[in-house]
Amino acid sequence: MSQTVERGFTVRSELGLHARPAGEFVVMASRFESEISVGNGREWVDGRSVLSLLSLAAGRGVELWIRATGADAEEAIAALGALIERSHAKIERSAAG
């Protein structure tokens, strides 16, 4: 059964949704059967395109909306939303240190 789920998530990373987390998002989005779109209130982009995600210029504190349509939409939204709300800066510092 196909369903559409849409939820907003706040970017928590000090660096915003920069290249590394955008790449992680695309890799994760590609694992789901559902169609994935991401919006910032003004425009929607393909959730499987790093360049499209970067074009949203989502800095820290920006609310991004994720829309998933498909059989695994709920699972996709939960996983991708958790990725957006994760603080990547902390992860990068711990990996470097």
Side-chain angles (χ1 to χ4, degrees):
M1 180 173 110
S2 183
Q3 64 176 334
T4 298
V5 180
E6 185 177 309
R7 277 196 209 111
F9 299 92
T10 302
V11 176
R12 303 263 184 238
S13 172
E14 292 176 22
L15 302 174
L17 189 65
H18 59 90
R20 181 178 291 166
E24 291 176 20
F25 188 99
V26 168
V27 167
M28 185 178 288
S30 297
R31 294 180 183 151
F32 294 100
E33 182 181 309
S34 293
E35 292 296 318
I36 310 291
S37 299
V38 181
N40 63 3
R42 292 182 308 278
E43 66 178 306
W44 286 90
V45 299
D46 181 359
R48 291 188 171 100
S49 167
V50 173
L51 290 178
S52 293
L53 289 173
L54 292 175
S55 76
L56 294 174
R60 183 179 191 180
V62 168
E63 184 174 35
L64 291 178
W65 286 83
I66 303 173
R67 180 185 300 145
T69 302
D72 57 359
E74 190 67 49
E75 182 184 353
I77 292 287
L80 294 167
L83 185 63
I84 285 177
E85 290 191 328
R86 195 171 80 190
S87 177
H88 288 85
K90 290 179 184 174
I91 294 167
E92 291 168 2
R93 276 193 221 113
S94 65

